[in-house]
Structures are given as C-alpha cells and as structure tokens.
Amino acid sequence: MGDPKGFLKVQRRSAGYRPVEERINDYSEVEVQLSDEERRLQASRCMDCGVPFCHWACPISNVMPEWQDRLYRNDWVGAWAALQDTNPFPEFTGRVCPALCEASCVLGATDEPVTIRQNELAVIEKAFSLGVVVPRPPKHRNGKKVAVVGAGPAGLSAAWYLNRAGFTVTVYEGDRKVGGYLRYGIPDFKLDKSFIDRRVKIMEAEGVIFKTRTRVGSAQYGFGTLGKDGEFIDPKELESSNDLVLLTIGAREARDLKAPGRENAGIVQALDFLALQNRSLGGENNEGLEPITAWGKRVVVIGGGDTGSDCVGTANRQGAKHVTQIEVLPRPPEHRPDEEPWPLWPKVLKTSSSHLEGGERLWSVNTKAFNGRDGKVDSIHACKVDWVNQDGRWNMSEVSGSDFEIGADLVLLAMGFTHVVQQGVVEDLGLVTDERGNIRTRGSFHTSNPKVWAAGDAKTGASLVVRAIAEGRAAAEAIIRTL
Ligand SMILES: Cc1cc2nc3c(=O)[nH]c(=O)nc-3n(C[C@H](O)[C@H](O)[C@H](O)COP(=O)(O)OP(=O)(O)OC[C@H]3O[C@@H](n4cnc5c(N)ncnc54)[C@H](O)[C@@H]3O)c2cc1C
Ligand code: SF4
C-alpha cells in the first residue's frame, strides 16, 4: 500500500468529459484523461483493505489493490502485469464497464470510491504507449483445434486464452469486422473502434485465425442483422473438423413493442440505428441497409437503459430536433436505497455523458399506441403509470386521465435483448435452449451436444462486456482442462 493515508488526503477526482459544445459535433471519445501525476494520486486512495470487496464485485476478479499500489509507486509496467493477469482486455472494460467494483469499494461506504475503472484504463493505455503490450505467441502448439463462433468480447477472450495455451483457434465471425456489440452496438464516443483493431492485430500476430464475413449456419435463414455479405459455413462441418466448437454468438433478439400502429414507418430497433452509425464511421459501405437518420427529427427513445442512452447521444450528434427518452419504470433514487446497502450494486439514477448533451427524460410512462400519418409515425400515445409493491411483486397500473401524446418522427426501441436468434446453428447442432431462448448448458459450458460449448450472452442472456470476457476466460479454462 503506497500511501496509508492517501484516502484521507486526496479527494476522488473523475476525469470528466470534453465540453458538450465540442463533443456534440463529433463521434470521438467523450471521456478525457487525468495527468499521470493526478492518476497516481487517485490510486493512492486505495486502502488495500483486508477484505477487498472490489475483487468480489468484479466479474473477472481484478486484483485492484495490487495494481493501485504499483500505479501509485510509478511502476506502470508492474501495474499492467498485475492487471493483465486477470483481464485480457482492460482497454475495453476501462472504457465501458459500469464499474461494479466501485459500488463495492470499502472507501465508498463512507466516502467516494476509488476511480478504479479510470485507473484501469490509464494503466493499459500507458502500457501500450510504453510498448510493453506486444504479441506473445505460445512456445508450442498442442495439436488441438477449437472453433470459436462469434467475435464479441466472449469469443475474443476465449480465443485469447486458448491460443496462449497452445490450441489452434479459428474465430468465425458472421459480420464484416470483429468485435460484436463492442463494434456495432457501443457508440464510438464511448469506445473508439481503433482499440478493437489494435487488440485484434496482437491476437493475429500471436496466431489466432479470424474468419470474418463467415456466418456459421444455413443459408436459408439469411444474414439477419449481420452485414449482408459473406459466406455460410455448415455447423456440422465445423463440429467434425475441430476438437471442440465454442459458441459465443451473443443474445441478439431485441425486444419489440407490439402496440397498435407499430407497422408505421419510422419505428426501428435501437441496434439497427446504432449499428448503422458505427458502420459508417468505420468506413463500411451501408448499401442495401435501410438508412435511418435522426437529422431534423423529433426522436423518441423507448427504454431508459444504456442502449437508450447511446441512442440519445447518437441522435443528438446526428442533429435531431428534439430527443425524448421514456421509461416505463419509475425514476430510480439518486442515492443508494436502504434495501441495497453497500457493498451491493445499487439501482440508482444514472446520468450518462449523452444525457448531459441534451434531451428530455420521462419515467413511469407506458406507450399505448403509435399514431401515424401517411404510413409514417407521427406521435406516440402514452400514459403515466403507478407502480405498487404487493407482497414483494411490483404491479403496474395506469393513472386514469393521464394520457398524453409525444410528437415523434423517429422512434427507437431500446428495450433490451432477450436471447439468441440462431436458426441454423442451434437447430443443426441439436442444441437445447432454456425457457428464455438462451443456449442451455450443463455444468458450466457444455451444451446438449458434447462437442459444442457455449459462453457469453448466448448462454447467460444479455449482460455486460466484463461478464462476457469473464465467461470467455472461464470457458477457455474449462476447455484447457477437458482437452
Ligand atoms: C447498444 C449497446 C450498448 C452496450 N453498452 C455496454 C456498455 O457500455 N458496457 C457494457 O459492459 N456492456 C454494454 N453492452 C452489452 C455488451 O456489449 C454485451 O453484453 C457483450 O458484447 C456480449 O458479448 P458476447 O461476446 O457474448 O456477444 P456479442 O457482443 O453479441 O457478440 C456475438 C458475436 O457473434 C457473432 N455471431 C452471431 N451469430 C453468428 C453466427 N451464426 N456465425 C458467426 N458469427 C455469429 C455476431 O456477429 C457477434 O459479433 C451494450 C450492448 C449494446 C447492444
Ligand atoms: S472490469 Fe469493471 S468491475 Fe472489474 S475492475 Fe474494471 S471497472 Fe471494475
């Protein structure tokens, strides 16, 4: 522990964002970085607790006190080595993780938590700038072949560990580029895609084989939401030519809102809108994909979560006339509620950088219908709702006489993702799904087909980048033990 009294002397300081009037005109990352000296002071606030609850809360069990200490002592490479031991991709989590650890930081029980996520990002970026993050191919190959299907964070993490253990790993990705929702969901202003390319380059140099535009499944089902080009590969062929197939194909069925008037044009899934923006920023040719733009429009985002917030930020950047984000649940409390005491993760009001850029947020609002004009959406018919807790169950009821309309030229449905949409993979490989539609696993990762395993959102349902990375790592560890 570098400075035993650091937490008494130094206040938490978040790096913050670029000014709104500047960042709203571009798609570059909004978060700024502190100087190295200030970052070290922030690290000095870590108390190196006897029981570090931050480990417990972090899905990949990062050992924060160890690397905060090294960071404080100006040993950036040592800090990176300790971080890299548990997290293959700190440059992703350091940018987009909701920092589950910070809610459990012991300092947070009475003061403000350590800036763990931002310290993590500073450590990995410093390591890259010092040139220590270099390819380290395995010394020998063990002759075993694993096919990883899906190059989101879960697939990348599994491939990283399996390759380093000497397996020959081929990652099959249906889309044009690697990254899954890291690339086509999360906006560039939160995660610049060059950081995915930088990591993939290292993985390629270490021997991981990436086959993009290669969708595992049957041509009869088409490409779905993936880029509309490339080729198909038969899942059975993959099964027979590999020692094991790991499916990390994500949970990509978006929830819909089947209210009257849904057929009007201008009501689209959030991911279609976000992916299109990310694709054009990535220089992809969007020919054949339906153009969706918020420019000059009254935009309503249905869904108060992170995807909704990403839509708000993107719509504002595209020049929306007005943005309203509505959520059916009540407004969360600003502070940790009594029923979610430290060190639990509290459901509190989250105001993202996108919310600070403009727009209105409404809670306890239910969408009853979409009104159209000439086949295009023109407004949303909504009402206020009350939530009452009856015997531990929340019941929603309409507030009578509260109906109102919100003008809308573009409605973005951001109500979350439910399960795997994989006709052709799940069926052809004879896999069983659970009641939610995710791939059912026995033990931890085995599916009903012994040669096919599953991990990440495809198994757990829609979750977080850090959880997908943790799943990929755990699946790789289990594969290494088994094979
Ligand atoms: C808009 C949005 C914003 C988000 N923001 C955050 C955030 O800020 N922080 C956070 O922690 N999490 C965030 N998430 C959630 C996070 O991105 C996901 O939980 C995570 O990416 C899941 O990883 P995965 O590897 O399991 O699946 P995915 O990222 O979904 O990757 C699955 C991959 O499999 C490929 N694939 C699917 N089927 C096939 C097939 N048959 N053949 C070949 N390839 C196939 C897909 O093209 C995709 O590349 C966000 C999600 C979205 C949609
Ligand atoms: S990955 Fe997330 S939970 Fe883990 S240390 Fe980093 S910010 Fe915290």
Side-chain angles (χ1 to χ4, degrees), residues 54 57-64 67 83 87 93-94 97-102 116-118 120 466:
C54 51
C58 173
I60 40 177
S61 308
N62 274 348
V63 288
M64 296 69 160
W67 46 265
L83 178 56
N87 187 356
T93 49
C97 187
L100 309 172
C101 53
E102 291 183 23
I116 301 173
R117 176 185 62 77
Q118 293 180 348
E120 179 174 340
V466 64

Side-chain angles (χ1 to χ4, degrees), residues 5 13 39 75 167 211 259 427:
K5 292 198 173 160
R13 180 159 174 222
R39 186 53 66 205
D75 176 10
F167 290 80
K211 290 196 185 241
E427 290 81 352

Side-chain angles (χ1 to χ4, degrees), residues 385-396:
V385 290
D386 267 340
W387 288 91
V388 181
N389 194 330
Q390 273 176 340
D391 306 325
R393 280 181 59 120
W394 285 97
N395 290 324
M396 185 181 90

Side-chain angles (χ1 to χ4, degrees), residues 59-209:
I60 40 177
S61 308
N62 274 348
V63 288
M64 296 69 160
E66 279 78 346
W67 46 265
Q68 308 296 343
D69 175 53
R70 292 175 197 180
L71 173 53
Y72 171 70
R73 292 174 193 279
N74 216 14
D75 176 10
W76 291 82
V77 175
W80 163 73
L83 178 56
Q84 187 78 19
D85 266 353
T86 53
N87 187 356
F89 312 130
E91 67 273 33
F92 305 154
T93 49
R95 288 182 165 86
V96 302
C97 187
L100 309 172
C101 53
E102 291 183 23
S104 301
C105 172
V106 177
L107 195 49
T110 52
D111 192 343
E112 290 195 277
V114 175
T115 52
I116 301 173
R117 176 185 62 77
Q118 293 180 348
N119 291 3
E120 179 174 340
L121 181 57
V123 168
I124 183 66
E125 287 306 329
K126 179 62 106 183
F128 268 107
S129 72
L130 292 173
V132 292
V133 192
V134 292
R136 292 178 205 280
K139 295 225 165 47
H140 59 266
R141 296 277 167 192
N142 61 18
K144 306 267 183 199
K145 282 171 68 184
V146 177
V148 174
V149 184
L156 291 177
S157 163
W160 171 269
Y161 286 105
L162 288 168
N163 179 65
R164 286 207 158 183
F167 290 80
T168 299
V169 184
T170 308
V171 182
Y172 296 88
E173 170 53 55
D175 219 318
R176 294 169 186 166
K177 293 184 186 172
V178 165
Y181 284 151
L182 283 175
R183 186 179 298 273
Y184 294 115
I186 298 174
D188 284 38
F189 55 78
K190 277 165 62 182
L191 171 68
D192 191 285
K193 307 313 172 215
S194 62
F195 300 116
I196 307 174
D197 300 337
R198 182 176 66 180
R199 182 57 74 173
V200 168
K201 235 170 136 181
I202 294 178
M203 292 177 71
E204 281 176 328
E206 291 185 350
V208 178
I209 304 154

Side-chain angles (χ1 to χ4, degrees), residues 96-98 149-155 172-175 179-182 185-187 190 214-217 226 248-252 271 274 306-307 310 417 422 425 455-458 462-466 468:
V96 302
C97 187
V149 184
Y172 296 88
E173 170 53 55
D175 219 318
Y181 284 151
L182 283 175
I186 298 174
K190 277 165 62 182
T214 311
R215 179 166 180 162
V216 177
L226 306 178
T248 47
I249 52 183
R252 303 175 80 85
L271 193 66
L274 294 171
D306 288 344
T307 303
D310 292 343
F417 299 87
Q422 290 297 335
V425 180
D457 279 9
S463 187
L464 294 172
V465 169
V466 64

Side-chain angles (χ1 to χ4, degrees), residues 361-372:
R361 296 168 86 183
L362 304 174
W363 284 270
S364 299
V365 170
N366 190 28
T367 305
K368 292 168 85 173
F370 301 101
N371 301 320

